[in-house]
Amino acid sequence: MAKKAKKAVKAKTKSKTKKPVKKAAKAARRPAPKIVARKAATRAAPARAKMSTKGWGKDGKALDGVKILDFTHVQSGPTCTQLLAWFGADVIKVERPGTGDITRGQLVDVPGADSLYFTMLNHNKRSITLDSKSKQGMAVLERLVKTCDVLVENFAPGALDRMGLTWERIHSWNPRMIAASVKGFGPGAYEECKVYENVAQCAGGSASTTGFLDGPPLVTGAQIGDSGTGLHLALGIVSALYQRNRTGRGQKVLCAMQDSVLNLCRVKLRDQQRLKAGPLREYTQFGQGIPFGEATPRAGNDSGGGQPGVILKCKGWEQDPNAYIYFITQAPVWEKICDLIGEPGWKTHPDYAKPPARLPRLKEIFGRIEQWTMTKTKFEVMNECNALDIPVGPILSMKEIAEEPSLRATGTVVEVDHPTRGKYLSVGNPIKLSDSISEVKRSPLLGEHTDEILTKVLKFSAREIAEIKASGATGQAPPKAVAAE
Ligand code: COA
C-alpha cells in the first residue's frame, strides 16, 4: 500500500512537470470531487505534497514545540493534557508540594505507589512541585507563563484568580498564551458550583435519558462529564493554537462540563423536539402502548437512531453477566435476519415485512430473535451476523477488552512499566495519526522533573534555584545550613 501511494505521489510530481500522468495517480485522485482536487493541487507545494520518507510515525510529533503549563487535577483536565502530550506537546504538570494531584493517593491498590487513577491519566508529562501561593512559587509560575504556549486548569471557579493568575495578568505576561479551563457550568446561576463527573451527567441531560422507563435516572460508566469535557477542551486548545498562527494572540478557552455532556446528548434534545409531532415510534414504549410525557423518556437499550435495536441474551447468560449481544434490525438486512432466525415467512407477512408494520411489534420480534441468540455464544452470533452484514455488538467485559489482541496491536490497550508500581495496563491514544504515532510513557513521580524544568526550561541560575528551594516553594525547604551552601 505504501508503495502504491509513493507511486501516486511520484506520478503527481511528474504531472506538474508536464509529463504524462501515471495510471495509479489518476486512480488515486478519481474519488475526490474535481474542485477539491484542483484546489489541493494548487495549494500544496510539491515538496510538501510528498509523503514523509521517514516512514510511519518517524517524522516528529504533531504538537512538537508546544509547551503546556498543566495546572490540572483529577480527571477532566488531565485527560485533555494527556492527549496533547501524546501528540508531542511538552506538558509540564504543576503540583502542590507534598500531595500533588489528589488522585495520586486515591483508590490506591499498591501501597506507596501512585494510584492507577493518576498513572492512567498523566502519561507523557513532566512534574514540577510548586506552591503557587508563595512569593517564590508565583515567580516561577510567572516564568512558566512567559515560556509556555498554553495554560490548562480545572480548579474550582475563582481559584486561579485567587492565586493571582487572572486572565489580564496572564495576557500581560504573555499575550500569546492560551488559557484553557474546565468548569462545571458555564456563566449563569450555577457558575460558582464545584462539579464532578456524575453531577455533569445529571445536569447535562444524560441521566434523565439513560436507564429504563420504569426505573430511576442512571449515570453511565463512560466518563462523558470528565473525559468527555477533556476531549472537547483539547479541540478548543488546538483550534486556538491554529488561530494564533494568524492573529499572533492567545485567547481564553472554556469548556463547561454541562455543555460537553449536552453536546454528547444532542440526539436526546432532537427527540425532545420531535415529541411535538407525536410519539417517538422507534422507542419500545410506543409498541407497548405506553404514552409519552413532556420530556424525552429513558429508552432502556433502544437504539439511538432510526434502526430498532436492543440487547439480547446469548448462550451462558445465566452465569455470565456479559453474555449478551446488541442486535440491530437494520431494514436493508431484514430478510437475512428472517432466514437466520428461522422465520422466512416474516419476509412477506404484512405484519413484519416493512419497518412501520414492525414498530408496534418490536417486543415480540426481538423476543423471537432472542430465542435464536440464546442458542449461540455472543461471538458465534457476531460471526454469523457479520457474515451477512447484520450489525451486532457483543457486550465485552473489561476483562475481555484487556485481553483483546487487536486492541493491543493498535496500541489502544498498552502495558506500561512504572518504577514504584511495576507493570500495568492503560488505554493509549485512541486517535491515530500516521505521521505522529503516540508512544505511551509512564506518568511522572511527584516533582520528578522539578530541577530539570527550573534549569533547562526556565533557565534559572544555580543561585536563583537555591533561593527558590530555600523558600520552600518547591517543597519542604532544606535545613538552613544546607540551603545556605
Ligand atoms: N499550590 C498552592 N495551592 C494550590 C496548588 C498549588 N500548586 N494547586 C491548587 N491549589 C489550591 C487552589 O488554589 C485552591 O485554593 P483556594 O480554594 O484557596 O483558592 C485549592 O488548592 C483547591 O482547589 P479546588 O479546585 O477548589 O479543589 P477541590 O478539591 O476543592 O475541588 C473540584 C475539586 C474538581 C470539585 C473543583 O476543582 C472543580 O469544580 N473543578 C472544575 C470542574 C472539574 O474539573 N471537575 C471535574 C474534576 S474531574
Side-chain angles (χ1 to χ4, degrees):
M1 181 164 168
K3 262 190 186 169
K4 254 191 197 169
K6 265 188 190 167
K7 261 190 180 175
V9 170
K10 235 182 169 182
K12 204 173 179 181
T13 323
K14 277 191 178 172
S15 80
K16 290 225 161 237
T17 54
K18 306 245 160 91
K19 285 186 182 163
V21 177
K22 280 192 178 170
K23 253 189 187 174
K26 262 189 179 174
R29 278 203 298 268
R30 199 170 300 136
K34 264 188 185 162
I35 297 169
V36 175
R38 216 180 299 134
K39 265 192 182 169
T42 47
R43 228 189 282 131
R48 268 188 285 144
K50 273 187 194 156
M51 280 180 67
S52 166
T53 50
K54 293 182 184 159
W56 277 55
K58 297 276 187 291
D59 208 3
K61 294 280 165 76
L63 294 181
D64 264 347
V66 175
K67 279 201 167 18
I68 313 274
L69 193 179
D70 179 6
F71 231 155
T72 68
H73 64 158
V74 202
Q75 185 181 169
S76 64
T79 303
C80 165
T81 49
Q82 176 169 259
L83 264 176
L84 302 173
W86 277 330
F87 288 131
D90 180 7
V91 175
I92 298 169
K93 184 165 173 113
V94 177
E95 296 183 80
R96 198 201 295 255
T99 44
D101 186 327
I102 195 164
T103 59
R104 285 187 185 267
Q106 281 181 338
L107 311 176
V108 168
D109 57 327
V110 178
D114 287 329
S115 69
L116 286 167
Y117 196 179
F118 177 84
T119 54
M120 289 177 72
L121 284 159
N122 290 283
H123 293 117
N124 298 41
K125 304 181 185 178
R126 298 199 269 179
S127 164
I128 176 173
T129 44
L130 209 55
D131 177 1
S132 63
K133 288 183 177 158
S134 73
K135 196 167 156 250
Q136 289 282 4
M138 187 43 83
V140 177
L141 263 179
E142 179 178 345
R143 184 85 60 106
L144 272 166
V145 170
K146 287 177 174 167
T147 309
C148 291
D149 300 277
V150 186
L151 181 153
V152 191
E153 63 91 22
N154 68 310
F155 291 126
L160 207 62
D161 288 356
R162 286 195 292 278
M163 255 183 220
L165 280 181
T166 58
W167 166 241
E168 290 70 25
R169 201 167 188 196
I170 293 169
H171 194 66
S172 73
W173 281 344
N174 180 0
R176 288 176 60 78
M177 169 66 82
I178 290 156
S181 303
V182 170
K183 294 291 164 255
F185 293 93
Y190 302 119
E191 66 186 301
E192 297 300 329
C193 300
K194 287 187 175 182
V195 170
Y196 283 105
E197 171 68 47
N198 289 346
V199 177
Q201 286 198 25
C202 294
S206 177
S208 71
T209 53
T210 304
F212 289 91
L213 197 56
D214 55 359
L218 266 193
V219 293
T220 157
Q223 304 288 282
I224 56 175
D226 281 340
S227 287
T229 307
L231 278 164
H232 281 87
L233 192 71
L235 181 57
I237 290 169
V238 174
S239 303
L241 279 167
Y242 190 76
Q243 188 170 10
R244 194 182 71 172
N245 289 338
R246 209 172 58 241
T247 63
R249 198 174 57 238
Q251 60 184 299
K252 287 195 281 181
V253 180
L254 171 68
C255 273
M257 294 168 73
Q258 181 186 38
D259 301 8
S260 300
V261 171
L262 176 59
N263 185 35
L264 298 174
C265 288
R266 76 176 42 228
V267 297
K268 299 297 178 181
L269 187 57
R270 171 201 69 193
D271 291 350
Q272 176 64 40
Q273 295 168 89
R274 287 173 59 225
L275 274 173
K276 280 193 209 121
L280 307 173
R281 302 168 74 89
E282 77 284 10
Y283 280 51
T284 308
Q285 88 176 70
F286 170 69
Q288 292 170 325
I290 303 170
F292 285 77
E294 288 185 345
T296 309
R298 292 188 266 288
N301 290 317
D302 289 351
S303 162
Q307 309 285 352
V310 293
I311 288 183
L312 302 176
K313 291 170 184 159
C314 291
K315 196 181 197 171
W317 67 275
E318 299 91 336
Q319 292 81 38
D320 178 357
N322 294 306
Y324 288 84
I325 192 126
Y326 199 91
F327 199 106
I328 300 172
T329 52
Q330 196 201 13
V333 290
W334 173 245
E335 298 200 346
K336 292 179 188 174
I337 295 171
C338 296
D339 287 334
L340 191 66
I341 64 169
E343 292 290 351
W346 281 4
K347 291 192 283 188
T348 48
H349 194 293
D351 284 351
Y352 305 96
K354 297 276 176 251
R358 291 198 289 274
L359 286 177
R361 298 177 179 79
L362 288 179
K363 201 164 189 277
E364 176 208 341
I365 290 169
F366 281 119
R368 176 65 190 90
I369 298 173
E370 192 171 54
Q371 282 175 12
W372 177 79
T373 57
M374 281 166 70
T375 65
K376 320 253 171 203
T377 68
K378 62 188 175 190
F379 296 111
E380 287 166 351
V381 175
M382 176 86 176
N383 290 341
E384 288 190 39
C385 287
N386 272 319
L388 299 168
D389 269 348
I390 301 167
V392 291
I395 309 303
L396 294 184
S397 68
M398 274 298 156
K399 182 173 184 296
E400 286 164 330
I401 286 172
E403 292 163 358
E404 171 57 43
S406 65
L407 292 175
R408 298 288 184 107
T410 56
T412 296
V413 174
V414 284
E415 194 174 76
V416 185
D417 207 356
H418 187 276
T420 54
R421 65 171 305 114
K423 293 202 161 97
Y424 66 97
L425 278 191
S426 196
V427 184
N429 191 349
I431 306 168
K432 321 289 185 194
L433 265 61
S434 64
D435 265 356
S436 183
I437 287 174
S438 303
E439 312 148 80
V440 179
K441 296 187 194 144
R442 71 165 174 86
S443 59
L445 301 174
L446 180 60
E448 185 177 345
H449 305 98
T450 301
D451 286 343
E452 185 179 302
I453 289 161
L454 291 176
T455 319
K456 295 195 179 141
V457 180
L458 303 179
K459 314 274 189 224
F460 282 109
S461 68
R463 192 179 51 81
E464 286 170 322
I465 293 175
E467 275 173 22
I468 292 164
K469 288 195 168 173
S471 75
T474 55
Q476 219 178 13
K480 270 222 154 82
V482 179
E485 274 174 17

